[in-house]
């Protein structure tokens, strides 16, 4: 049984999927479970996809629709052939006895499956997301049990995913929880505004340090030096030239595209005469 | 479920359902954050090789809003017996999703695009078959390259009712288009998009913000994007070349047509003269021959290609203009930064 390094990398799409399936659960079900898909590398596991599996849970027994899980996995494999079953997830705060059984089911599908729990009921005020691997424990030959050892979780994003998540972050501040997609210059303005915010925070910090309120931190000071030095010193004339030539390029392209648009509109009108 | 069975690539069966009202029934699109993340992930993982990744959107219609609550990707068409696989795959997916209470109503499809080139015959056909079957469907175009540059580029399009009419008739001659007065601007209409998240997802977002170690990306403020501009202009030039070829074809057609008209006229005149002469000589007039058989009118070129190319060029131009305006802003900001040195 191979032992993985302590880190599991999770993509936010998986967590969003879990939240969504929790919200859509059947009446009476207190938690949802599902399969985790992803890729295994030598020292780390990356969870990139998931789907929920219908299951029934009561005091004494638990039934999981494994047929369904297998079917779904086949379908998913057609789209992304590199993803394999690497574990399962469950919502809820703790690990119950039923989890052990379900974990056994999944051990048949994957070697050393990961168990991910996500507290969607927000019991501790935060949504605690934790991952576990199972390990045998106990006295061999007599009572053998299973222990879930926790793993550390790292969130990874693709670049485009990061930008998508940024956009989603902004929905949480509005009471209507909605956000339109902006375009053109307003996007640049928004980005610049954010940089400006960061600069104000930094300036406030610097003021505090200078006036002695906060102890100076050398590493922060070095970062600040780096920052200021990053602005390249170009002679004013050279910069003027560069700026002008760039602006000219852009203006020319704008002019040409406007011309093209006028041209095709004209052509349209002529044909329809 | 039977009525939902349709294939999403070019081959499509037109179903006998009533077409919609003149006003677009969908004024706004509401997308859940989950759908967004799934589309991004799908392109990222599977789209690096070929250009286009596609998938199906699921959701429901609420008043005049189309809510998209989930989606699933489509496998690439690389293997044989792709057709059989597709329909079956779709049916199975939807059946399975129904078990876990996910909305299983088809409301549209999404596609990724390469630098904005998506106005093509295939897209038109697919969207037509979708919109014909389901009144409110849309196609979401996701531009991954533009998104990687800093801001999410996701647009929703529907076919205008006028274009739906034309597609139904399958009549793309210039006369038909003139009658409907369709220009390339009236082909697609864009529907505004809104992103909405549930409270639980918002809580998740707060959590991620805390724990995430990846810094904010400020790609948008990057100045060095001339590569992107070059590519777009290249594609634009190709399209303009295509367009000019098309125009030449149309011009030759109209010239041929007018020449033929002239010939017909001359022939008729000669006929009349001869008949007058024969009458004066008391001979029976020559029979009126069927002129149309003698002068077969030239085939008018289908105008659909031209419309599509024009639409595509328009799209490229829009993108280029947006891009340049953003860059101008960034350049002025850089100037301000230098000014204080």
């Amino acid at each position: 049984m191979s032992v993985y390094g302590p880190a599991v990398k999770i993509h936010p799409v998986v967590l969003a999927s879990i939240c969504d399936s929790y919200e859509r659960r059947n009446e009476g079900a207190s938690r949802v479970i599902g399969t985790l898909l992803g890729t295994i590398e030598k020292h780390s596991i990356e969870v990139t996809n998931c789907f929920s599996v219908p299951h029934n849970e009561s005091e004494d027994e638990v039934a999981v629709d494994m047929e369904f899980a297998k079917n779904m996995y086949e379908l998913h494999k057609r789209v992304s052939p590199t993803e394999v079953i690497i574990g399962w997830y469950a919502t809820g705060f703790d690990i119950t006895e039923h989890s052990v059984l379900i974990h056994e089911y999944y051990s048949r599908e994957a070697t050393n499956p990961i168990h991910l729990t996500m507290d969607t009921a927000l019991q501790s005020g935060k949504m605690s997301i934790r991952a576990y691997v199972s390990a045998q424990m106990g006295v061999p030959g007599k009572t053998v049990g299973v222990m879930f050892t926790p793993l550390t979780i790292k969130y990874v994003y693709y670049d485009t995913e990061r930008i998508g998540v940024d956009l989603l972050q902004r929905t949480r501040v509005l009471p209507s929880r909605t956000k339109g997609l902006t375009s053109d210059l307003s996007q640049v303005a928004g980005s610049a505004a954010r940089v400006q915010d960061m600069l104000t925070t930094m300036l406030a910090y610097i003021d505090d340090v200078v006036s002695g309120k906060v102890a100076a931190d050398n590493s922060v000071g070095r970062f600040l030096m780096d920052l200021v030095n990053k602005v390249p010193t170009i002679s004013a004339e050279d910069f003027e030239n560069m700026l002008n030539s760039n602006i000219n390029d852009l203006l020319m392209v704008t002019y040409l595209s406007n011309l093209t648009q006028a041209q095709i509109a004209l052509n349209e009108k002529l044909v329809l005469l | 479920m039977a009525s939902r069975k349709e294939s999403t690539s070019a081959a499509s069966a037109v179903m006998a359902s009533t077409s919609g009202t003149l006003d677009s029934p969908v004024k706004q699109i509401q997308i859940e954050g989950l759908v967004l993340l799934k589309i991004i992930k799908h392109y990222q993982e599977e789209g690096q090789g070929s250009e286009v990744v596609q998938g199906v959107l699921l959701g429901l219609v609420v008043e005049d809003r189309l809510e998209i609550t989930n989606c699933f990707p489509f496998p690439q068409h690389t293997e044989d017996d792709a057709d059989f696989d597709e329909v079956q795959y779709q049916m199975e997916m939807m059946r399975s999703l129904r078990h876990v209470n996910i909305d299983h109503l088809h409301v549209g499809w999404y596609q990724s695009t390469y630098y904005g080139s998506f106005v093509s015959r295939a897209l038109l056909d697919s969207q037509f078959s979708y919109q014909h079957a389901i009144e409110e469907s849309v196609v979401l175009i996701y531009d991954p390259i533009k998104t990687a540059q800093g801001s999410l580029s996701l647009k929703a399009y529907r076919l205008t009712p006028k274009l739906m009419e034309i597609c139904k008739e399958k009549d793309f001659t210039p006369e038909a288009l003139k009658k409907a007065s369709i220009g390339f601007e009236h082909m697609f209409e864009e529907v505004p998009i809104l992103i909405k998240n549930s409270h639980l997802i918002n809580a998740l977002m707060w959590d991620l913000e805390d724990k995430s170690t990846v810094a904010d990306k400020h790609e948008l403020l990057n100045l060095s994007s001339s590569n992107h501009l070059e590519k777009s202009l290249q594609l634009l030039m190709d399209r303009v070349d295509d367009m000019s070829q098309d125009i030449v074809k149309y011009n030759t057609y109209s010239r041929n047509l007018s020449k033929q008209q002239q010939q017909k006229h001359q022939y008729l005149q000669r006929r009349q003269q001869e008949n007058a002469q024969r009458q004066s000589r008391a001979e029976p007039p020559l029979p009126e021959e069927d002129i149309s058989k003698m002068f077969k009118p030239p085939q008018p070129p289908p105008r659909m290609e031209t419309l599509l190319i024009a639409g595509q060029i328009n799209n490229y131009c829009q993108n280029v203009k947006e891009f340049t305006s953003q860059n101008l802003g960034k350049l002025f900001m850089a100037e301000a930064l230098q000014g204080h040195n």
Side-chain angles (χ1 to χ4, degrees):
Chain A
M1 199 166 59
S2 57
V3 178
Y4 297 122
V8 179
K9 298 194 213 149
I10 303 189
H11 282 261
V13 68
V14 174
L15 303 169
S17 266
I18 301 180
C19 282
D20 185 65
S21 25
Y22 178 73
E23 285 172 359
R24 291 169 182 279
R25 66 191 186 285
N26 286 318
E27 287 281 339
S30 58
R31 61 181 196 162
V32 274
I33 67 167
T35 314
L36 292 172
L37 302 170
T39 48
I40 304 184
E41 283 139 39
K42 271 219 272 207
H43 298 294
S44 63
I45 314 173
E46 202 163 327
V47 183
T48 51
N49 205 353
C50 68
F51 56 83
S52 68
V53 176
H55 83 300
N56 286 320
E57 209 170 291
S58 62
E59 275 297 323
D60 347 315
E61 62 168 14
V62 64
V64 175
D65 194 349
M66 287 312 284
E67 203 41 54
F68 179 91
K70 246 189 267 286
N71 266 342
M72 275 297 249
Y73 176 52
E74 288 300 311
L75 292 174
H76 276 265
K77 226 166 54 165
R78 292 234 206 107
V79 180
S80 16
T82 51
E83 285 183 350
V84 288
I85 298 183
I86 55 175
W88 64 293
Y89 69 82
T91 60
F93 194 53
D94 259 336
I95 307 185
T96 63
E97 307 89 39
H98 301 315
S99 307
V100 180
L101 283 171
I102 305 178
H103 202 82
E104 255 190 58
Y105 281 143
Y106 276 97
S107 316
R108 284 184 238 141
E109 303 286 330
T111 53
N112 206 14
I114 306 244
H115 174 43
L116 185 75
T117 58
M118 189 156 149
D119 182 15
T120 42
L122 301 168
Q123 259 176 7
S124 57
K126 282 181 119 193
M127 191 182 279
S128 55
I129 302 172
R130 294 201 241 135
Y132 305 93
V133 192
S134 74
Q136 298 278 356
M137 73 169 183
V139 182
K142 300 250 185 89
T143 40
V144 188
V146 167
M147 182 173 68
F148 283 100
T149 47
L151 306 167
T152 46
I153 298 186
K154 264 208 301 219
Y155 299 110
V156 285
Y157 306 82
Y158 300 122
D159 287 344
T160 40
E161 230 177 346
R162 178 74 222 177
I163 293 172
V165 170
D166 272 346
L167 188 62
L168 296 181
Q169 303 275 19
R170 275 174 255 149
T171 65
R172 59 183 188 197
V173 282
L174 299 167
S176 61
R177 296 179 280 127
T178 57
K179 180 87 175 89
L181 296 176
T182 55
S183 72
D184 243 1
L185 221 47
S186 44
Q187 281 171 343
V188 180
S191 216
R194 281 199 290 283
V195 175
Q196 202 176 24
D197 281 340
M198 292 203 284
L199 283 175
T200 5
T201 331
M202 255 187 10
L203 282 176
Y205 170 77
I206 295 175
D207 281 337
D208 281 342
V209 170
V210 164
S211 65
K213 268 192 267 179
V214 177
D217 191 355
N218 273 340
S219 47
V220 175
R222 257 177 252 129
F223 278 133
L224 287 173
M225 271 295 282
D226 262 345
L227 188 69
V228 173
N229 282 339
K230 274 223 172 74
V231 180
T233 43
I234 317 175
S235 79
E237 213 180 85
D238 281 341
F239 186 74
E240 249 334 276
N241 283 339
M242 280 195 286
L243 192 71
N244 280 336
S245 60
N246 266 329
I247 292 185
N248 280 338
D249 283 340
L250 294 174
L251 286 175
M252 174 188 77
V253 172
T254 317
Y255 170 72
L256 284 176
S257 46
N258 277 332
L259 193 65
T260 321
Q261 273 183 317
Q263 183 73 21
I264 43 177
L266 208 61
N267 181 46
E268 197 80 29
K269 294 286 180 287
L270 284 177
V271 167
L272 294 180
L273 259 182
Chain B
M1 273 305 238
S3 64
R4 299 260 182 262
K5 223 194 318 208
E6 61 245 351
S7 55
T8 55
S9 40
S12 53
V14 175
M15 280 175 248
S17 61
T18 59
S19 94
T21 57
L22 274 180
D23 255 358
S24 167
V26 173
K27 299 260 171 7
Q28 214 182 52
I29 306 229
Q30 196 173 283
I31 304 190
E32 294 227 346
L34 178 64
V35 176
L36 202 62
L37 290 176
K38 274 183 140 175
I39 296 180
I40 294 178
K41 165 201 177 306
H42 183 210
Y43 177 79
Q44 193 71 35
E45 288 189 354
E46 309 300 327
Q48 305 297 4
S50 68
E51 296 183 355
V52 166
V53 294
Q54 295 180 337
V56 170
L57 298 171
L58 310 162
L60 61 153
V61 179
V62 173
E63 296 159 356
D64 62 349
R65 274 199 327 261
L66 178 67
E67 297 197 13
I68 303 182
T69 52
N70 216 323
C71 67
F72 61 84
F74 238 66
Q76 311 273 23
H77 307 219
T78 42
E79 299 99 57
D80 328 75
D81 62 46
D83 274 310
F84 170 77
D85 270 352
E86 270 175 38
V87 179
Q88 202 199 31
Y89 174 82
Q90 237 180 298
M91 296 304 287
E92 288 226 21
M93 248 329 201
M94 308 238 279
R95 215 179 303 142
S96 312
L97 290 176
R98 196 149 52 133
H99 279 303
V100 286
N101 297 340
I102 295 183
D103 294 323
H104 58 282
L105 301 173
H106 243 147
V107 289
W109 58 300
Y110 67 83
Q111 183 178 301
S112 74
T113 172
Y114 180 69
Y115 280 108
S117 55
F118 59 86
V119 181
S120 69
R121 197 55 198 271
L123 185 112
L124 197 68
D125 285 339
S126 304
Q127 180 59 13
F128 173 67
S129 70
Y130 256 96
Q131 225 167 298
H132 198 78
I134 304 167
E135 183 57 41
E136 301 87 359
S137 57
V138 293
V139 52
L140 280 186
I141 303 286
Y142 164 65
D143 189 345
I145 299 169
K146 208 140 172 266
T147 307
Q149 287 199 329
S151 60
L152 182 68
S153 155
L154 192 70
K155 296 212 166 92
Y157 289 103
R158 291 167 47 80
L159 298 181
T160 50
K162 280 199 250 177
L163 194 60
M164 291 282 290
E165 286 297 324
I166 296 268
C167 278
K168 238 191 294 196
E169 315 293 323
K170 293 225 184 292
D171 177 18
F172 299 131
T173 56
E175 290 78 32
L177 289 181
K178 206 189 304 187
K179 228 187 325 160
S181 67
I182 291 197
F184 59 85
E185 293 136 345
H186 307 304
M187 285 210 299
F188 293 103
E189 53 185 15
E190 191 178 332
V191 190
I193 298 183
L194 216 58
I195 300 195
K196 187 171 165 120
N197 276 329
S198 67
H199 289 296
L200 201 56
I201 304 253
N202 277 342
L204 176 70
M205 289 294 146
W206 281 111
D207 229 35
L208 278 183
E209 173 96 355
D210 264 348
K211 308 225 189 99
S212 121
T213 48
V214 180
D216 265 353
K217 288 219 127 206
H218 290 281
E219 261 321 299
L220 193 57
L221 294 176
N222 196 350
L223 274 178
S224 65
S225 14
S226 56
N227 201 12
H228 180 243
L229 194 62
E230 231 180 78
K231 269 275 168 51
S232 308
L233 284 178
Q234 188 86 13
L235 289 167
L236 183 62
M237 288 196 307
D238 287 337
R239 278 338 193 131
V240 170
D241 281 338
D242 284 339
M243 183 70 157
S244 62
Q245 277 183 344
D246 217 57
I247 291 179
V248 163
K249 251 192 279 179
Y250 186 74
N251 280 343
T252 37
Y253 158 72
S254 43
R255 239 178 299 146
N256 281 346
L257 191 66
S258 64
K259 228 190 311 178
Q260 217 192 42
Q261 297 282 45
Q262 260 194 344
Q263 283 180 334
K264 253 198 252 190
H265 197 69
Q266 280 180 345
Y267 179 76
L268 275 174
Q269 273 198 332
R270 259 185 295 134
R271 262 298 148 118
Q272 278 185 350
Q273 273 187 344
E274 269 216 39
N275 279 342
Q277 282 184 347
R278 284 181 174 231
Q279 268 191 344
S280 60
R281 284 182 274 159
E283 278 175 23
L286 287 172
E288 287 293 320
E289 284 183 13
D290 198 0
I291 311 181
S292 52
K293 256 197 275 189
M294 284 184 46
F295 295 97
K296 240 190 292 204
Q299 196 61 282
R303 298 299 295 166
M304 205 36 160
E305 265 312 301
T306 328
L307 258 192
L308 286 172
I309 299 179
Q312 184 63 69
I313 293 181
N314 191 29
N315 204 30
Y316 281 141
C317 289
Q318 286 291 89
N319 281 349
V320 165
K321 282 200 289 194
E322 211 179 283
F323 182 77
T324 51
S325 66
Q326 284 183 338
N327 263 25
L328 278 174
K330 286 189 253 182
L331 280 176
F332 282 125
M333 277 206 294
E335 184 187 17
L337 208 60
Q338 279 288 329
H340 289 299
N341 253 5

